[in-house]
C-alpha cells in the first residue's frame, strides 16, 4: 500500500490487518508438536532471546481453513541461529532514538508528490493540496455488513503520528511500554540501524513465532481461545469491541504469555515489519527448490493488485484481528505494505546474528 493510494481512496488498505473473506471456524487437527532444543550463547544482547536455527515447514497447514493463497504451498526452510527482541519496540525505546538523532518520521512529513506519483498508474491526477499534509491512517469503528470496503473504517488523519497514534488529540503519555506504531518501514529501518540491529526475514519471523512447535496453527499451539493468548479484537468487527481484555488498541508489551522461545506478542497487538519484499508467487517458486537455507525472500516485489507499488511483508496480526473477519494471528499469516506507509496497528522488532552482536559489543 502507498500513501497516495490512501490519500485518493482509490485502492484503500490492501495491507490491512485482515483478509476480506468471512470463514467459519473449524477445528484444526495437526500432527504432534516437536520441541526444538534451544542452546543460548553466553553473554547475549540485553532484551533479546537466542533462537537456535533449524529446519521447519514454512507456510499454511493443508487443513488451515483460514489460509490465504500467498501462504501456500508450505515448503521446507532452514534458518541459522539469531537473536530476536523479546518484545516489539516500545514508545519509550523509540523516543530515545528520536531524542538522540532528531529523526523525523514519515507520518510527520508532507507527502512528496514527485515520489508518490511513481507508485501510481501513469496519468493519475495530483490530489488536492489539502490532502498532501503530514498525516497517517487511523482505524475508526463503523456499522457495516460490507467487509469488502476497507475504506469505511480507515481514515487519513492529519496530525496522526507515533506520538499521536489516533490523531492530534491522542497521546502516548502513560503508554511508554506499548509498542510504537505509526512507523513506516523506513522509520523502523532508521531505528534498527541506530541500535545495530536489522529486520527479521520472513522465514526467521515465522520460525521464531512458532516457538519450537511443528505443525501448529498458532504460536501457542491449537487452542482456539484466542483472546487468552494475544491482544485481538473481541466482538463484531469493525463496529463493536467488547473490551473484555481492557484494550481497544495496543496493549503493553509482555501483557500476554510468551511463546516457547520466550517471545511476546508474536500474535496480535501490532503487525510487524520484516525485511522481505512481498511477491505473490514467491512461495510457489520456493516449493520447487527443496530445502532453502536462510532465504532472504523474493528478488523483486510483485502484487498484481498494486503493480506500481513495491511492498514489504508484515507479520503477526494486530489488535484488529478476530475470527469474524480474519485470523491473522496464525503463525503462517502474512500481510504487506509499502515502505512509506504507517498505520496505528503496525510496529516492529529487531534481530541480529551472533557475529553482529560480537561486533556491536566490541564497539561499546
Amino acid at each position: 500500500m502507498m500513501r497516495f493510494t490512501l490519500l485518493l481512496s482509490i485502492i484503500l488498505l490492501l495491507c490491512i490487518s485482515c483478509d476480506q473473506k468471512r470463514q467459519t471456524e473449524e477445528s484444526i487437527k495437526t500432527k504432534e508438536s516437536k520441541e526444538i532444543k534451544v542452546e543460548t550463547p553466553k553473554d547475549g544482547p540485553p532484551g533479546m532471546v537466542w533462537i537456535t536455527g533449524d529446519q521447519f515447514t514454512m507456510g499454511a497447514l493443508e487443513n488451515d481453513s483460514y489460509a490465504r493463497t500467498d501462504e501456500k504451498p508450505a515448503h521446507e526452510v532452514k534458518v541459522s541461529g539469531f537473536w530476536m527482541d523479546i518484545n516489539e519496540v516500545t514508545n519509550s525505546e523509540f523516543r530515545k532514538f528520536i531524542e538522540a538523532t532528531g529523526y523525523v518520521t514519515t507520518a510527520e512529513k508532507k507527502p512528496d508528490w514527485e515520489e508518490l506519483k511513481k507508485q501510481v498508474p501513469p496519468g493519475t491526477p495530483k490530489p488536492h493540496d489539502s490532502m498532501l499534509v503530514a498525516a497517517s491512517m487511523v482505524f475508526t469503528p463503523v456499522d457495516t455488513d460490507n467487509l469488502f470496503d476497507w475504506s469505511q473504517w480507515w481514515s487519513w488523519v492529519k496530525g496522526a503520528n507515533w506520538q499521536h497514534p489516533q490523531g492530534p488529540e491522542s497521546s502516548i503519555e502513560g503508554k511508554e511500554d506499548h509498542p510504537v506504531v505509526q512507523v513506516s518501514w523506513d522509520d523502523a529501518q532508521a531505528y534498527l540501524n541506530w541500535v545495530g540491529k536489522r529486520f527479521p526475514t520472513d522465514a526467521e519471523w515465522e520460525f521464531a513465532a512458532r516457538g519450537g512447535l511443528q505443525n501448529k496453527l498458532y504460536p501457542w499451539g491449537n487452542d482456539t481461545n484466542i483472546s487468552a493468548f494475544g491482544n485481538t479484537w473481541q466482538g463484531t468487527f469493525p463496529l463493536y469491541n467488547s473490551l473484555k481484555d481492557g484494550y481497544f488498541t495496543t496493549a503493553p508489551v509482555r501483557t500476554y504469555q510468551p511463546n516457547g522461545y520466550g517471545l511476546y506478542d508474536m500474535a496480535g497487538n501490532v503487525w510487524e515489519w520484516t525485511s522481505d519484499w512481498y511477491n505473490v508467487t514467491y512461495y510457489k517458486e520456493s516449493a520447487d527448490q527443496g530445502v532453502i537455507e536462510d532465504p532472504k525472500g523474493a528478488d523483486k516485489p510483485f502484487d498484481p493488485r498494486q503493480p506500481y507499488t513495491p511492498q514489504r511483508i508484515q507479520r503477526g496480526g494486530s489488535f484488529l484481528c478476530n475470527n469474524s473477519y480474519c485470523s491473522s494471528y496464525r503463525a503462517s499469516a502474512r500481510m504487506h505494505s509499502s515502505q512509506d506507509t504507517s498505520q496505528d496497528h503496525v510496529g516492529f522488532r529487531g534481530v541480529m546474528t551472533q557475529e553482529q552482536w560480537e561486533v556491536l559489543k566490541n564497539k561499546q
Side-chain angles (χ1 to χ4, degrees):
M1 187 183 64
M2 53 199 163
R3 301 187 83 196
F4 182 62
T5 304
L6 300 173
L7 302 179
L8 297 182
S9 298
I10 297 174
I11 310 175
L12 277 168
L13 297 161
L14 288 175
C15 68
I16 58 172
S17 63
C18 304
D19 186 68
Q20 61 266 47
K21 299 179 181 178
R22 288 189 184 184
Q23 300 183 34
T24 56
E25 183 176 3
E26 297 180 2
S27 60
I28 305 298
K29 298 180 180 179
T30 63
K31 299 178 182 179
E32 291 299 318
S33 64
K34 173 185 176 183
E35 293 187 0
I36 298 175
K37 185 179 180 181
V38 178
E39 298 178 356
T40 306
K42 296 179 180 179
D43 188 27
M48 303 189 85
V49 172
W50 176 253
I51 310 297
T52 299
D54 206 336
Q55 181 173 321
F56 77 109
T57 302
M58 183 175 182
L61 304 176
E62 290 184 3
N63 55 349
D64 180 356
S65 62
Y66 292 99
R68 295 182 287 270
T69 302
D70 62 1
E71 299 174 39
K72 303 175 181 179
H75 53 286
E76 293 300 306
V77 170
K78 183 176 181 180
V79 296
S80 302
F82 58 95
W83 293 97
M84 189 173 214
D85 285 339
I86 292 175
N87 52 255
E88 295 147 342
V89 174
T90 64
N91 286 317
S92 176
E93 292 168 324
F94 196 76
R95 182 182 295 280
K96 292 177 182 177
F97 159 64
I98 297 295
E99 292 176 345
T101 64
Y103 181 84
V104 179
T105 63
T106 303
E108 296 172 287
K109 302 174 185 177
K110 176 182 176 181
D112 183 349
W113 168 240
E114 293 304 313
E115 289 299 317
L116 290 174
K117 69 180 182 180
K118 298 175 183 177
Q119 303 181 41
V120 295
T124 300
K126 179 181 177 180
H128 192 273
D129 287 344
S130 63
M131 298 298 293
L132 293 175
V133 295
S136 196
M137 298 306 297
V138 175
F139 170 80
T140 304
V142 62
D143 186 3
T144 180
D145 292 325
N146 181 4
L147 296 182
F148 296 90
D149 182 5
W150 313 304
S151 65
Q152 296 175 94
W153 53 82
W154 286 102
S155 301
W156 177 248
V157 178
K158 181 180 179 180
N161 55 54
W162 75 274
Q163 296 186 86
H164 308 283
Q166 283 73 49
E169 301 303 317
S170 65
S171 172
I172 58 172
E173 184 177 352
K175 296 182 177 181
E176 290 78 13
D177 58 351
H178 285 233
V180 64
V181 295
Q182 296 293 15
V183 285
S184 67
W185 189 94
D186 296 328
D187 299 332
Q189 178 68 83
Y191 174 90
L192 293 174
N193 287 340
W194 182 67
V195 295
K197 301 177 184 179
R198 62 175 174 83
F199 285 111
T201 64
D202 191 30
E204 287 173 335
W205 198 99
E206 182 171 330
F207 179 76
R210 292 186 177 279
L213 299 177
Q214 295 281 4
N215 300 315
K216 297 295 181 181
L217 192 60
Y218 308 109
W220 57 84
N222 287 333
D223 191 328
T224 57
N225 183 22
I226 310 301
S227 61
F229 298 96
N231 178 20
T232 58
W233 185 274
Q234 297 169 312
T236 303
F237 183 87
L239 173 63
Y240 173 67
N241 189 331
S242 69
L243 299 181
K244 183 179 180 180
D245 59 4
Y247 305 108
F248 182 75
T249 59
T250 57
V253 298
R254 308 194 190 189
T255 296
Y256 298 86
Q257 67 184 49
N259 72 358
Y261 286 153
L263 299 167
Y264 293 86
D265 293 320
M266 297 302 283
N269 218 10
V270 297
W271 284 99
E272 300 179 14
W273 291 107
T274 73
S275 62
D276 291 27
W277 289 117
Y278 176 75
N279 188 312
V280 71
T281 66
Y282 178 69
Y283 273 27
K284 182 178 180 180
E285 296 167 358
S286 298
D288 298 328
Q289 299 179 31
V291 179
I292 305 175
E293 296 192 16
D294 292 321
K296 299 299 187 293
D299 294 331
K300 297 180 180 180
F302 174 64
D303 180 358
R305 297 173 298 177
Q306 298 185 76
Y308 297 95
T309 309
Q311 298 174 85
R312 301 282 183 174
I313 293 171
Q314 298 169 334
R315 285 290 198 147
S318 78
F319 58 79
L320 294 179
C321 292
N322 86 342
N323 280 338
S324 69
Y325 181 56
C326 74
S327 56
S328 289
Y329 27 70
R330 293 171 299 104
S332 64
R334 309 159 82 221
M335 197 49 68
H336 45 95
S337 184
S338 69
Q339 293 185 187
D340 62 353
T341 295
S342 53
Q343 293 174 269
D344 64 348
H345 70 150
V346 178
F348 68 103
R349 77 178 75 206
V351 302
M352 65 169 62
T353 63
Q354 179 64 18
E355 291 72 22
Q356 287 176 307
W357 167 234
E358 293 295 338
V359 171
L360 183 61
K361 182 171 58 174
N362 292 332
K363 290 182 178 179
Q364 295 176 347

